[in-house]
Coordinates of all heavy atoms in Angstrom, one line a residue:
M23 N 8.1 -8.6 -37.1 CA 7.5 -9.8 -36.6 C 7.8 -9.9 -35.1 O 8.9 -9.8 -34.7 CB 8.0 -11.0 -37.4 CG 7.4 -12.3 -36.9 SD 7.8 -13.6 -38.1 CE 8.9 -14.6 -37.2
V24 N 6.8 -10.2 -34.3 CA 7.0 -10.4 -32.9 C 7.1 -11.8 -32.6 O 6.4 -12.7 -33.1 CB 5.8 -9.8 -32.1 CG1 5.9 -10.1 -30.7 CG2 5.6 -8.3 -32.4
T25 N 8.1 -12.2 -31.8 CA 8.4 -13.5 -31.3 C 8.5 -13.5 -29.8 O 8.9 -12.6 -29.2 CB 9.6 -14.1 -32.0 OG1 10.7 -13.3 -31.7 CG2 9.5 -14.3 -33.5
I26 N 8.2 -14.7 -29.2 CA 8.4 -14.9 -27.8 C 9.5 -15.9 -27.6 O 9.5 -16.9 -28.2 CB 7.1 -15.5 -27.1 CG1 5.9 -14.7 -27.5 CG2 7.3 -15.7 -25.6 CD1 5.6 -13.5 -26.7
V27 N 10.5 -15.5 -26.8 CA 11.7 -16.3 -26.7 C 12.0 -16.4 -25.2 O 11.6 -15.6 -24.4 CB 12.9 -15.8 -27.4 CG1 12.7 -15.7 -28.9 CG2 13.3 -14.4 -26.9
D28 N 12.7 -17.5 -24.8 CA 13.2 -17.6 -23.4 C 14.2 -16.5 -23.2 O 15.1 -16.3 -24.0 CB 13.8 -19.0 -23.1 CG 12.8 -20.1 -23.1 OD1 11.6 -19.8 -22.8 OD2 13.2 -21.2 -23.4
A29 N 14.1 -15.8 -22.1 CA 15.1 -14.7 -21.7 C 16.4 -15.3 -21.5 O 16.6 -16.4 -20.9 CB 14.6 -14.0 -20.6
K30 N 17.5 -14.6 -21.8 CA 18.8 -15.0 -21.6 C 19.4 -14.1 -20.5 O 18.8 -13.1 -20.1 CB 19.7 -14.8 -22.9 CG 19.2 -15.8 -24.0 CD 20.0 -15.6 -25.2 CE 19.4 -16.5 -26.3 NZ 19.9 -16.2 -27.6
T31 N 20.5 -14.5 -20.0 CA 21.2 -13.7 -18.9 C 21.3 -12.2 -19.3 O 21.0 -11.3 -18.5 CB 22.6 -14.3 -18.6 OG1 22.4 -15.6 -18.2 CG2 23.2 -13.5 -17.5
E32 N 21.7 -11.9 -20.5 CA 21.8 -10.5 -21.0 C 20.5 -9.8 -21.1 O 20.5 -8.6 -21.2 CB 22.6 -10.5 -22.3 CG 22.0 -11.2 -23.4 CD 22.5 -12.6 -23.6 OE1 23.0 -13.2 -22.7 OE2 22.3 -13.1 -24.8
D33 N 19.4 -10.5 -21.0 CA 18.1 -9.8 -21.1 C 17.6 -9.4 -19.7 O 16.6 -8.6 -19.6 CB 17.0 -10.7 -21.7 CG 17.4 -11.2 -23.1 OD1 17.9 -10.3 -23.9 OD2 17.2 -12.3 -23.4
Q34 N 18.2 -9.8 -18.6 CA 17.6 -9.6 -17.3 C 17.5 -8.2 -16.9 O 16.6 -7.8 -16.3 CB 18.4 -10.4 -16.2 CG 18.3 -11.9 -16.4 CD 16.9 -12.4 -16.5 OE1 16.1 -12.1 -15.7 NE2 16.6 -13.1 -17.6
A35 N 18.5 -7.4 -17.2 CA 18.4 -5.9 -16.9 C 17.3 -5.3 -17.6 O 16.5 -4.5 -16.9 CB 19.7 -5.2 -17.2
F36 N 17.0 -5.6 -18.8 CA 15.9 -5.0 -19.6 C 14.6 -5.5 -18.9 O 13.7 -4.6 -18.7 CB 15.9 -5.4 -21.0 CG 14.6 -5.1 -21.8 CD1 14.4 -3.8 -22.2 CD2 13.7 -6.1 -22.0 CE1 13.2 -3.6 -22.9 CE2 12.5 -5.8 -22.6 CZ 12.3 -4.5 -23.1
L37 N 14.5 -6.7 -18.6 CA 13.2 -7.3 -18.0 C 13.0 -6.7 -16.6 O 11.8 -6.3 -16.3 CB 13.3 -8.8 -17.9 CG 13.2 -9.5 -19.3 CD1 13.5 -11.0 -19.1 CD2 11.8 -9.3 -19.9
Y38 N 14.0 -6.5 -15.9 CA 13.9 -5.9 -14.5 C 13.4 -4.5 -14.7 O 12.4 -4.1 -14.0 CB 15.2 -6.0 -13.7 CG 15.1 -5.2 -12.4 CD1 14.3 -5.7 -11.4 CD2 15.7 -3.9 -12.3 CE1 14.2 -5.0 -10.2 CE2 15.5 -3.2 -11.1 CZ 14.8 -3.7 -10.1 OH 14.7 -3.0 -8.9
E39 N 14.0 -3.7 -15.5 CA 13.6 -2.3 -15.6 C 12.2 -2.2 -16.2 O 11.4 -1.3 -15.7 CB 14.6 -1.5 -16.5 CG 15.9 -1.3 -15.9 CD 15.8 -0.5 -14.5 OE1 15.0 0.4 -14.4 OE2 16.6 -0.9 -13.6
L40 N 11.8 -3.0 -17.1 CA 10.5 -3.0 -17.6 C 9.5 -3.3 -16.5 O 8.5 -2.6 -16.3 CB 10.3 -4.0 -18.8 CG 9.0 -4.1 -19.4 CD1 8.5 -2.8 -20.1 CD2 9.0 -5.3 -20.4
Y41 N 9.7 -4.4 -15.8 CA 8.8 -4.8 -14.7 C 8.8 -3.7 -13.6 O 7.7 -3.4 -13.1 CB 9.3 -6.1 -14.1 CG 8.4 -6.7 -13.0 CD1 7.1 -7.1 -13.3 CD2 8.8 -6.8 -11.7 CE1 6.2 -7.6 -12.4 CE2 7.9 -7.3 -10.7 CZ 6.7 -7.7 -11.1 OH 5.8 -8.2 -10.1
R42 N 9.9 -3.2 -13.2 CA 10.0 -2.2 -12.2 C 9.1 -1.0 -12.6 O 8.4 -0.4 -11.8 CB 11.4 -1.7 -12.0 CG 11.6 -0.8 -10.8 CD 13.1 -0.4 -10.7 NE 13.4 0.2 -9.5 CZ 13.1 1.5 -9.1 NH1 12.5 2.2 -10.0 NH2 13.5 1.9 -7.9
S43 N 9.2 -0.6 -13.9 CA 8.5 0.6 -14.3 C 7.0 0.4 -14.3 O 6.2 1.4 -14.1 CB 8.9 1.0 -15.8 OG 8.4 0.1 -16.7
T44 N 6.5 -0.8 -14.3 CA 5.1 -1.1 -14.2 C 4.6 -1.3 -12.8 O 3.4 -1.2 -12.6 CB 4.7 -2.3 -15.0 OG1 5.3 -3.5 -14.4 CG2 5.1 -2.2 -16.5
R45 N 5.5 -1.4 -11.8 CA 5.1 -1.7 -10.5 C 5.5 -0.7 -9.4 O 5.0 -0.7 -8.3 CB 5.6 -3.1 -10.0 CG 5.1 -4.3 -10.8 CD 3.7 -4.6 -10.5 NE 3.2 -4.7 -9.2 CZ 3.3 -5.8 -8.4 NH1 3.7 -7.0 -8.9 NH2 2.8 -5.8 -7.2
I46 N 6.5 0.2 -9.8 CA 7.2 1.0 -8.8 C 6.2 1.9 -8.1 O 6.3 2.1 -6.8 CB 8.4 1.8 -9.3 CG1 9.2 2.4 -8.2 CG2 8.0 2.8 -10.3 CD1 9.8 1.3 -7.3
E47 N 5.2 2.5 -8.8 CA 4.3 3.4 -8.1 C 3.5 2.7 -7.1 O 3.3 3.2 -5.9 CB 3.4 4.1 -9.2 CG 2.4 5.1 -8.6 CD 1.6 5.8 -9.6 OE1 1.9 5.7 -10.8 OE2 0.6 6.4 -9.2
E48 N 3.0 1.5 -7.4 CA 2.2 0.7 -6.5 C 3.0 0.3 -5.2 O 2.6 0.5 -4.1 CB 1.7 -0.5 -7.2 CG 1.1 -1.5 -6.3 CD 0.8 -2.9 -7.0 OE1 1.2 -3.1 -8.1 OE2 0.2 -3.8 -6.3
V49 N 4.2 -0.3 -5.5 CA 5.0 -0.9 -4.3 C 5.6 0.2 -3.5 O 5.9 0.0 -2.3 CB 6.0 -1.9 -4.8 CG1 5.3 -3.1 -5.5 CG2 7.0 -1.4 -5.7
S50 N 5.9 1.4 -4.0 CA 6.5 2.5 -3.3 C 5.6 2.9 -2.1 O 6.0 3.4 -1.1 CB 6.8 3.6 -4.1 OG 7.9 3.3 -5.0
A51 N 4.3 2.7 -2.3 CA 3.3 3.1 -1.3 C 3.3 2.2 -0.1 O 2.7 2.5 0.9 CB 1.9 3.1 -1.9
W52 N 4.0 1.1 -0.2 CA 4.0 0.1 0.9 C 4.9 0.5 2.1 O 4.9 -0.1 3.1 CB 4.4 -1.3 0.4 CG 3.5 -1.8 -0.6 CD1 2.2 -1.4 -1.0 CD2 3.7 -3.0 -1.4 NE1 1.7 -2.2 -1.9 CE2 2.6 -3.1 -2.3 CE3 4.8 -3.8 -1.6 CZ2 2.5 -4.1 -3.2 CZ3 4.7 -4.9 -2.5 CH2 3.5 -5.0 -3.3
G53 N 5.8 1.5 1.9 CA 6.6 2.0 2.9 C 7.9 1.1 3.1 O 8.6 1.3 4.2
W54 N 8.2 0.3 2.2 CA 9.4 -0.5 2.3 C 10.7 0.3 1.9 O 10.6 1.2 1.2 CB 9.3 -1.7 1.3 CG 8.3 -2.7 1.7 CD1 7.4 -2.7 2.7 CD2 8.0 -3.9 0.9 NE1 6.6 -3.8 2.7 CE2 6.9 -4.6 1.6 CE3 8.5 -4.5 -0.2 CZ2 6.4 -5.8 1.1 CZ3 8.0 -5.7 -0.7 CH2 7.0 -6.3 0.0
E55 N 11.8 -0.2 2.5 CA 13.1 0.4 2.1 C 13.4 0.0 0.7 O 12.9 -1.0 0.2 CB 14.1 0.0 3.1 CG 13.9 0.5 4.5 CD 15.0 0.1 5.4 OE1 16.1 -0.3 5.0 OE2 14.8 0.2 6.7
E56 N 14.3 0.7 0.1 CA 14.7 0.5 -1.3 C 15.2 -0.9 -1.5 O 14.9 -1.6 -2.5 CB 15.8 1.5 -1.8 CG 16.2 1.4 -3.2 CD 15.0 1.7 -4.2 OE1 14.1 2.6 -3.8 OE2 15.0 1.1 -5.3
G57 N 16.0 -1.5 -0.6 CA 16.5 -2.9 -0.8 C 15.4 -3.9 -0.8 O 15.5 -4.9 -1.5
E58 N 14.4 -3.7 0.1 CA 13.2 -4.6 0.1 C 12.4 -4.5 -1.2 O 12.0 -5.5 -1.7 CB 12.3 -4.2 1.3 CG 13.0 -4.5 2.6 CD 12.1 -3.9 3.8 OE1 11.8 -2.7 3.7 OE2 11.8 -4.7 4.7
L59 N 12.2 -3.3 -1.7 CA 11.5 -3.1 -3.0 C 12.3 -3.8 -4.1 O 11.7 -4.5 -4.9 CB 11.4 -1.6 -3.3 CG 10.4 -0.8 -2.5 CD1 10.5 0.7 -2.8 CD2 9.0 -1.3 -2.6
D60 N 13.6 -3.6 -4.1 CA 14.4 -4.2 -5.2 C 14.3 -5.7 -5.1 O 14.1 -6.4 -6.2 CB 15.9 -3.8 -5.0 CG 16.8 -4.3 -6.1 OD1 16.5 -3.9 -7.3 OD2 17.7 -5.1 -5.8
A61 N 14.4 -6.3 -3.9 CA 14.3 -7.8 -3.8 C 13.0 -8.3 -4.3 O 12.9 -9.3 -5.0 CB 14.6 -8.2 -2.4
F62 N 11.9 -7.6 -3.9 CA 10.6 -8.0 -4.3 C 10.4 -7.9 -5.8 O 9.9 -8.8 -6.4 CB 9.5 -7.1 -3.6 CG 8.1 -7.3 -4.0 CD1 7.4 -8.4 -3.5 CD2 7.5 -6.5 -5.0 CE1 6.1 -8.6 -3.9 CE2 6.2 -6.8 -5.4 CZ 5.5 -7.8 -4.9
L63 N 10.8 -6.8 -6.4 CA 10.7 -6.6 -7.8 C 11.5 -7.6 -8.6 O 11.1 -8.1 -9.6 CB 11.0 -5.2 -8.2 CG 10.0 -4.1 -7.7 CD1 10.5 -2.7 -7.9 CD2 8.7 -4.3 -8.3
R64 N 12.7 -7.9 -8.1 CA 13.6 -8.8 -8.9 C 13.0 -10.2 -8.8 O 13.1 -11.0 -9.8 CB 15.0 -8.9 -8.3 CG 15.8 -7.6 -8.7 CD 17.2 -7.7 -8.4 NE 17.8 -6.4 -8.6 CZ 18.2 -6.0 -9.9 NH1 17.9 -6.7 -10.9 NH2 18.7 -4.8 -10.0
H65 N 12.3 -10.6 -7.8 CA 11.6 -11.9 -7.7 C 10.5 -12.0 -8.7 O 10.2 -13.1 -9.2 CB 11.1 -12.1 -6.2 CG 10.4 -13.4 -6.0 ND1 11.1 -14.6 -6.0 CD2 9.1 -13.7 -5.9 CE1 10.2 -15.6 -5.8 NE2 9.0 -15.1 -5.8
G66 N 9.9 -10.9 -9.0 CA 8.7 -10.9 -9.9 C 9.0 -10.9 -11.4 O 8.1 -11.0 -12.2
V67 N 10.3 -10.8 -11.8 CA 10.6 -10.7 -13.2 C 10.4 -12.0 -13.9 O 10.8 -13.1 -13.4 CB 12.1 -10.2 -13.4 CG1 12.5 -10.3 -14.8 CG2 12.3 -8.8 -12.8
E68 N 9.7 -12.0 -15.0 CA 9.4 -13.2 -15.7 C 10.6 -13.6 -16.6 O 11.5 -12.8 -16.8 CB 8.2 -12.9 -16.7 CG 6.9 -12.6 -15.9 CD 6.4 -13.8 -15.1 OE1 6.6 -15.0 -15.6 OE2 5.9 -13.6 -14.0
R69 N 10.6 -14.8 -17.1 CA 11.7 -15.3 -17.8 C 11.4 -15.4 -19.3 O 12.1 -16.1 -20.1 CB 12.1 -16.7 -17.3 CG 12.5 -16.7 -15.8 CD 13.7 -15.8 -15.6 NE 14.1 -15.8 -14.2 CZ 14.2 -14.7 -13.5 NH1 14.1 -13.5 -14.0 NH2 14.6 -14.8 -12.2
E70 N 10.3 -14.8 -19.8 CA 10.1 -14.8 -21.2 C 10.2 -13.4 -21.8 O 9.8 -12.5 -21.1 CB 8.7 -15.4 -21.5 CG 8.6 -16.8 -21.4 CD 7.2 -17.4 -21.9 OE1 6.2 -16.6 -21.8 OE2 7.2 -18.5 -22.3
L71 N 10.7 -13.3 -22.9 CA 11.0 -12.0 -23.5 C 10.3 -11.9 -24.9 O 10.3 -12.9 -25.6 CB 12.5 -11.9 -23.7 CG 13.0 -10.6 -24.3 CD1 12.8 -9.4 -23.3 CD2 14.5 -10.7 -24.5
M72 N 9.7 -10.7 -25.1 CA 9.1 -10.5 -26.4 C 10.1 -9.7 -27.3 O 10.6 -8.7 -26.8 CB 7.8 -9.7 -26.3 CG 7.1 -9.5 -27.5 SD 5.6 -8.5 -27.3 CE 4.7 -9.5 -26.0
K73 N 10.3 -10.2 -28.5 CA 11.2 -9.5 -29.4 C 10.4 -9.0 -30.6 O 9.6 -9.8 -31.1 CB 12.4 -10.3 -29.8 CG 13.3 -10.6 -28.6 CD 14.7 -11.0 -29.1 CE 15.6 -11.1 -27.9 NZ 16.8 -10.4 -28.1
N74 N 10.7 -7.8 -31.1 CA 10.1 -7.3 -32.3 C 11.2 -7.0 -33.3 O 12.0 -6.1 -33.0 CB 9.3 -6.1 -32.0 CG 8.6 -5.5 -33.2 OD1 8.6 -6.1 -34.3 ND2 7.9 -4.4 -33.0
R75 N 11.3 -7.8 -34.3 CA 12.4 -7.6 -35.3 C 13.8 -7.7 -34.7 O 14.7 -7.0 -35.0 CB 12.2 -6.3 -36.1 CG 11.0 -6.3 -36.9 CD 10.9 -5.1 -37.7 NE 9.6 -5.2 -38.5 CZ 8.9 -4.1 -38.9 NH1 9.4 -2.9 -38.6 NH2 7.8 -4.3 -39.5
G76 N 13.9 -8.6 -33.7 CA 15.1 -8.9 -33.0 C 15.5 -8.0 -31.9 O 16.4 -8.2 -31.2
N77 N 14.6 -7.0 -31.6 CA 14.9 -6.0 -30.5 C 14.0 -6.4 -29.3 O 12.8 -6.6 -29.5 CB 14.6 -4.6 -31.0 CG 15.6 -4.2 -32.1 OD1 16.8 -4.3 -31.9 ND2 15.0 -3.6 -33.1
S78 N 14.5 -6.3 -28.1 CA 13.7 -6.5 -26.9 C 12.6 -5.5 -26.9 O 12.9 -4.3 -27.0 CB 14.6 -6.4 -25.7 OG 15.6 -7.4 -25.7
S79 N 11.4 -5.9 -26.7 CA 10.3 -5.0 -26.8 C 9.2 -5.2 -25.7 O 8.3 -4.4 -25.5 CB 9.6 -5.1 -28.1 OG 9.1 -6.4 -28.4
G80 N 9.3 -6.2 -24.9 CA 8.4 -6.4 -23.8 C 8.5 -7.8 -23.2 O 9.4 -8.5 -23.4
R81 N 7.5 -8.1 -22.4 CA 7.4 -9.5 -21.8 C 6.0 -9.9 -21.8 O 5.1 -9.2 -22.1 CB 8.0 -9.4 -20.3 CG 7.1 -8.7 -19.4 CD 7.7 -8.6 -18.0 NE 6.8 -8.1 -17.0 CZ 6.1 -8.9 -16.2 NH1 6.2 -10.2 -16.2 NH2 5.3 -8.4 -15.3
T82 N 5.8 -11.2 -21.5 CA 4.5 -11.8 -21.5 C 4.0 -12.1 -20.1 O 4.8 -12.3 -19.2 CB 4.4 -13.1 -22.4 OG1 5.3 -14.0 -21.8 CG2 4.8 -12.8 -23.8
I83 N 2.7 -12.0 -19.9 CA 2.1 -12.4 -18.7 C 1.0 -13.3 -19.1 O 0.1 -12.9 -19.9 CB 1.5 -11.2 -17.9 CG1 2.6 -10.1 -17.6 CG2 0.9 -11.6 -16.6 CD1 2.1 -8.8 -17.1
S84 N 0.9 -14.5 -18.5 CA -0.1 -15.4 -18.9 C -0.8 -15.9 -17.6 O -0.3 -15.9 -16.5 CB 0.4 -16.6 -19.7 OG 1.3 -17.3 -18.9
G85 N -2.1 -16.2 -17.7 CA -2.9 -16.6 -16.6 C -4.2 -17.3 -17.1 O -4.2 -17.9 -18.2
R86 N -5.2 -17.1 -16.4 CA -6.5 -17.6 -16.9 C -7.1 -16.8 -18.1 O -7.8 -17.4 -18.8 CB -7.5 -17.6 -15.7 CG -7.1 -18.5 -14.6 CD -8.2 -18.5 -13.5 NE -7.7 -19.2 -12.4 CZ -8.3 -19.4 -11.3 NH1 -9.5 -18.8 -11.1 NH2 -7.8 -20.1 -10.3
N87 N -6.7 -15.6 -18.2 CA -7.1 -14.8 -19.3 C -6.1 -14.9 -20.5 O -5.0 -15.4 -20.3 CB -7.2 -13.3 -18.9 CG -8.2 -13.1 -17.8 OD1 -9.3 -13.7 -17.8 ND2 -7.9 -12.3 -16.8
P88 N -6.5 -14.5 -21.6 CA -5.6 -14.5 -22.8 C -4.3 -13.7 -22.4 O -4.3 -12.9 -21.6 CB -6.4 -13.8 -23.9 CG -7.8 -13.9 -23.5 CD -7.8 -13.9 -22.0
V89 N -3.2 -14.0 -23.1 CA -1.9 -13.4 -22.9 C -2.1 -11.9 -23.1 O -2.7 -11.4 -24.0 CB -0.9 -14.0 -23.8 CG1 0.4 -13.2 -23.7 CG2 -0.6 -15.4 -23.6
V90 N -1.5 -11.1 -22.2 CA -1.4 -9.7 -22.3 C 0.0 -9.3 -22.5 O 0.9 -9.8 -21.9 CB -1.9 -9.0 -20.9 CG1 -1.8 -7.5 -21.0 CG2 -3.4 -9.5 -20.6
C91 N 0.2 -8.4 -23.4 CA 1.6 -8.0 -23.8 C 1.8 -6.6 -23.2 O 1.0 -5.7 -23.3 CB 1.8 -7.9 -25.3 SG 1.6 -9.5 -26.0
I92 N 3.0 -6.4 -22.5 CA 3.3 -5.1 -22.0 C 4.4 -4.5 -22.8 O 5.4 -5.2 -23.1 CB 3.8 -5.2 -20.5 CG1 2.6 -5.7 -19.6 CG2 4.3 -3.9 -20.0 CD1 3.0 -6.0 -18.2

C-alpha cells in the first residue's frame, strides 16, 4: 500500500538524493560550481514522502496537472 506522509528529518537525505538524481544532468550543464549546484538542489527538495509498505519509495510533485509520482 502506498501512502503519502510529511517528510521527517531522517528522510531528508533520501529526498535530496532522489531529487538530485532527477535534475543533475540538467543543472550540470549550467556551468555552476558544485557548491552552487548543491545549494540549488537542496532548495528544491519537497517535504512530502511517498512510502510503499513502510519503505521510502519516492516523492510527490503537484501542480495544475494531476499528481505525478517519481
Side-chain angles (χ1 to χ4, degrees):
M23 181 166 112
V24 174
T25 57
I26 308 277
V27 298
D28 289 334
K30 297 179 180 165
T31 301
E32 60 266 21
D33 299 320
Q34 295 309 305
F36 169 80
L37 288 170
Y38 172 74
E39 289 303 321
L40 179 64
Y41 184 67
R42 186 181 196 284
S43 73
T44 66
R45 298 289 310 269
I46 193 62
E47 186 176 343
E48 172 193 3
V49 300
S50 292
W52 299 348
W54 292 359
E55 294 183 18
E56 187 62 33
E58 294 171 308
L59 290 174
D60 183 63
F62 174 82
L63 293 170
R64 288 192 185 281
H65 181 73
V67 174
E68 297 294 325
R69 302 296 181 234
E70 287 187 331
L71 180 67
M72 184 182 305
K73 293 201 172 230
N74 185 1
R75 296 184 180 152
N77 297 310
S78 299
S79 57
R81 69 184 190 99
T82 61
I83 302 170
S84 59
R86 294 181 188 178
N87 297 321
V89 173
V90 175
C91 301
I92 296 176

